[in-house]
Amino acid sequence: MAGASDKARFYLEQSVPELQELLRKQIFSKNEISSIARKRSEFEHRINARGPDYARYVEYEMNLENLRRKRVKRLGIKSTSSVGQRRVFFIFDRATKHLPGDLGLWLQYLDFARKQKARTKVSQILTNVLRLHPTKSEFWIYAANYVFSEQGDIIQARSYMHRGLRFCQHSTTIWSEYLKLEMAHLSKVNVRRQVLGIDKVNEDINETSDYNDFNSDAVPLIKLTPSDVDPIFPSNKSADEAKLQKLNSSHAQTGAIPSAIVNAALKQSPEHLELGSQLFDVLAAFGDLRCTKSLVQQIVDELSRTRPKSPTTLDCFIRQPFHGLSATSVAFPEALRTALQRLNKSMSDSSMLDSSRQALEFRVDLSSKTIDWILEYLEDANLDPAVRQILKATLRKTWSFSRQCIEYSSDDINTKLLRMASHLRNQGYESLVEPDLITALQKRQREPNRLAMDKGSD
């Protein structure tokens, strides 16, 4: 078996022709070539003798390749050589074979190959990593997003997602990413329909144009119809409208696929309330699609049916009226009014006003979620002053509503209250939080730890 020095010498000898070419074309000087050879020797001996150090080796080679490309461009040298790229790929191959369980290394390998636009290499890497780590949902998600964004292949992207769901049945991330993928596909189709004019109102081809304007110097373009190009082409306008109507009512346009994803996800994990919240938040970025409102209603209905008394369910129900709306939109104030009515009704519920631990946890959880979305909207610099004033008043009321739980708080409630108080202070709302409150909460948090340490020492 070859020793570490023999392996290092073997790999170094393979790079000699590359270094000679760089010197001959005067891309690097003789001293720089010597420095490159010395640095590579150090890395090769290190990874073959003392253990893996591929991360720094790869980083060095990537920086060297970037420098080579910049100098080639600056000097105007015609160089089509991809030796540097192949060398980085070769080091990544060795690294992933030596450390197949390093997920970060695989992701770095994929990102580099993707930046180099090496599609064949990316496909090979995805095949290898999915074979080794089929239960890691992040790689199935990466593969699906790659083929969709780079190749526009929604069929292959769905195939990756379906296979990932078979291996990662309990992953909530892959469900939310699958929904995001399908909504992005619908959004892309919607944009294409608008560009092609399919969604526009049918216009009369004989409408008045500049041709009838005698004062116009513009030369009008002759409007062609399909029958002008091909006399055999049927010019049945009613048939075309029927086809468009059929297309608009198809499963792909009505959101049947995203609806099936939501239904399957919530039934697959009925106890994972955060999954419903994740799906709810994913849809917020696609408020312009026609199917979004029905999908949001589907999520709220399912959560209300399975866990009606959960803070997550109530939070989704409260945010539903302004879901997907911009804070500067015309419809936002009215939607906010409806949402605040739902919030006030929830806060005045008698089941939330007693001092039982369950009621206290419910109040704190709901307040925490409410404060988060209020602060998110308050960060918008273009927010209407009247709306901002209403949100600030609601913020004060919500914090006061949760602060009442301090005297009854357990360790878990104390941690959540401390997080809320720190969040408010960090966002510039120090006036809502008393100066000594955070100190008192931190002191309470340290006391159980100290008691646990004392008990352990005894």
Side-chain angles (χ1 to χ4, degrees):
M1 183 177 178
S5 298
D6 295 334
K7 288 182 180 179
R9 190 179 302 110
F10 171 76
Y11 290 123
L12 289 170
E13 289 175 353
Q14 289 183 330
S15 66
V16 171
E18 173 202 352
L19 297 177
Q20 290 176 343
E21 181 184 3
L22 293 174
L23 181 61
R24 179 175 58 83
K25 293 185 176 181
Q26 297 182 351
I27 298 175
F28 292 106
S29 65
K30 188 174 182 179
N31 290 335
E32 288 174 329
I33 294 295
S34 300
S35 176
I36 293 171
R38 184 167 55 254
K39 196 70 176 177
R40 285 179 175 176
S41 177
E42 292 176 3
F43 281 120
E44 288 292 345
H45 282 87
R46 194 176 301 163
I47 64 177
N48 285 289
R50 285 180 280 174
D53 193 16
Y54 289 103
R56 284 192 289 178
Y57 195 5
V58 167
E59 182 181 3
Y60 173 76
E61 290 293 342
M62 290 169 64
N63 293 334
L64 181 63
E65 174 63 11
N66 291 334
L67 178 60
R68 184 194 70 82
R69 290 188 175 188
K70 289 180 180 178
R71 290 194 177 182
V72 166
K73 183 178 180 180
R74 178 168 56 85
L75 298 173
I77 299 174
K78 293 183 179 180
S79 175
T80 58
S81 175
S82 58
V83 176
Q85 183 190 89
R86 291 201 304 268
R87 182 169 182 81
V88 176
F89 283 151
F90 178 63
I91 297 173
F92 268 122
D93 282 333
R94 293 168 58 193
T96 51
K97 289 178 181 178
H98 195 183
L99 301 170
D102 192 338
L103 305 183
L105 188 62
W106 282 105
L107 290 173
Q108 189 180 3
Y109 193 5
L110 284 166
D111 290 339
F112 176 76
R114 190 171 180 176
K115 289 179 181 178
Q116 301 301 314
K117 298 182 179 179
R119 291 188 175 183
T120 303
K121 195 66 178 179
V122 173
S123 299
Q124 293 175 355
I125 300 169
L126 287 173
T127 301
N128 293 333
V129 71
L130 290 174
R131 186 184 297 116
L132 288 171
H133 303 285
T135 58
K136 301 298 181 181
S137 61
E138 55 264 40
F139 292 113
W140 294 108
I141 295 170
Y142 190 102
N145 289 333
Y146 171 75
V147 296
F148 176 70
S149 60
E150 298 291 337
Q151 303 174 14
D153 191 349
I154 185 62
I155 304 299
Q156 183 64 24
R158 286 170 180 163
S159 176
Y160 277 123
M161 284 296 188
H162 292 165
R163 291 160 60 191
L165 287 170
R166 286 199 296 268
F167 286 103
C168 313
Q169 297 180 1
H170 302 292
S171 172
T172 59
T173 305
I174 195 169
W175 281 110
S176 59
E177 290 295 328
Y178 189 13
L179 178 62
K180 185 186 297 184
L181 176 74
E182 287 294 342
M183 297 301 291
H185 172 63
L186 279 179
S187 181
K188 183 180 290 188
V189 171
N190 189 45
V191 171
R192 288 181 178 176
R193 288 170 61 89
Q194 293 176 0
V195 171
L196 294 174
I198 296 177
D199 288 339
K200 292 181 180 179
V201 180
N202 293 329
E203 298 178 354
D204 187 3
I205 61 173
N206 294 320
E207 64 182 359
T208 304
S209 64
D210 289 337
Y211 181 71
N212 296 324
D213 186 1
F214 295 101
N215 296 324
S216 174
D217 295 330
V219 178
L221 296 177
I222 300 175
K223 296 183 178 181
L224 298 177
T225 62
S227 59
D228 294 327
V229 180
D230 186 1
I232 305 177
F233 190 90
S235 57
N236 191 343
K237 185 176 180 181
S238 60
D240 292 340
E241 292 179 350
K243 291 179 180 178
L244 288 176
Q245 187 66 27
K246 183 178 180 181
L247 178 63
N248 292 333
S249 60
S250 64
H251 292 306
Q253 292 298 316
T254 57
I257 297 177
S259 177
I261 294 172
V262 170
N263 185 51
L266 296 180
K267 286 186 176 180
Q268 182 75 21
S269 306
E271 299 300 323
H272 289 98
L273 287 171
E274 291 306 318
L275 175 58
S277 180
Q278 289 176 17
L279 299 177
F280 186 90
D281 292 336
V282 164
L283 294 173
F286 304 96
D288 56 333
L289 296 179
R290 290 176 294 179
C291 62
T292 301
K293 183 177 290 187
S294 62
L295 292 173
V296 171
Q297 186 64 51
Q298 180 182 353
I299 294 173
V300 173
D301 290 344
E302 183 63 24
L303 291 178
S304 301
R305 186 183 65 83
T306 55
R307 299 290 295 275
K309 298 298 183 180
S310 168
T312 302
T313 301
L314 199 54
D315 176 61
C316 292
F317 175 70
I318 292 170
R319 291 189 292 144
Q320 183 183 5
F322 59 81
H323 183 273
L325 291 178
S326 171
T328 57
S329 65
V330 178
F332 183 76
E334 180 63 25
L336 180 63
R337 185 179 70 84
T338 304
L340 295 182
Q341 287 176 350
R342 296 182 178 185
L343 177 62
N344 292 332
K345 184 178 180 181
S346 301
M347 288 183 175
S348 60
D349 190 350
S350 59
S351 62
M352 295 180 59
L353 300 178
D354 58 36
S355 58
S356 65
R357 179 168 181 173
Q358 184 177 3
L360 294 174
E361 290 180 350
F362 192 100
R363 290 167 63 179
V364 171
D365 288 340
L366 180 60
S367 299
S368 177
K369 295 178 182 296
T370 303
I371 287 174
D372 287 342
W373 65 257
I374 290 177
L375 290 176
E376 183 178 351
Y377 275 109
L378 287 174
E379 290 178 358
D380 192 341
N382 299 321
L383 189 65
D384 183 84
V387 174
R388 184 180 298 276
Q389 185 177 359
I390 293 173
L391 286 176
K392 286 184 177 180
T394 306
L395 184 68
R396 287 192 295 269
K397 182 178 179 180
T398 306
W399 169 243
S400 176
F401 181 70
S402 62
R403 194 193 179 288
Q404 299 171 5
C405 305
I406 292 179
E407 54 184 292
Y408 307 103
S409 65
S410 61
D411 296 340
D412 186 35
I413 295 177
N414 184 81
T415 302
K416 294 176 181 178
L417 288 171
L418 179 60
R419 189 195 72 83
M420 277 192 287
S422 301
H423 193 190
L424 287 170
R425 290 184 65 87
N426 293 336
Q427 294 295 322
Y429 296 94
E430 298 91 346
S431 59
L432 300 181
V433 184
E434 295 84 346
D436 299 333
L437 179 62
I438 294 182
T439 304
L441 290 173
Q442 290 174 341
K443 184 178 179 181
R444 284 189 182 185
Q445 198 172 28
R446 287 193 297 265
E447 286 178 356
N449 296 332
R450 186 174 64 252
L451 292 174
M453 292 177 62
D454 294 340
K455 186 177 179 180
S457 61
D458 293 341

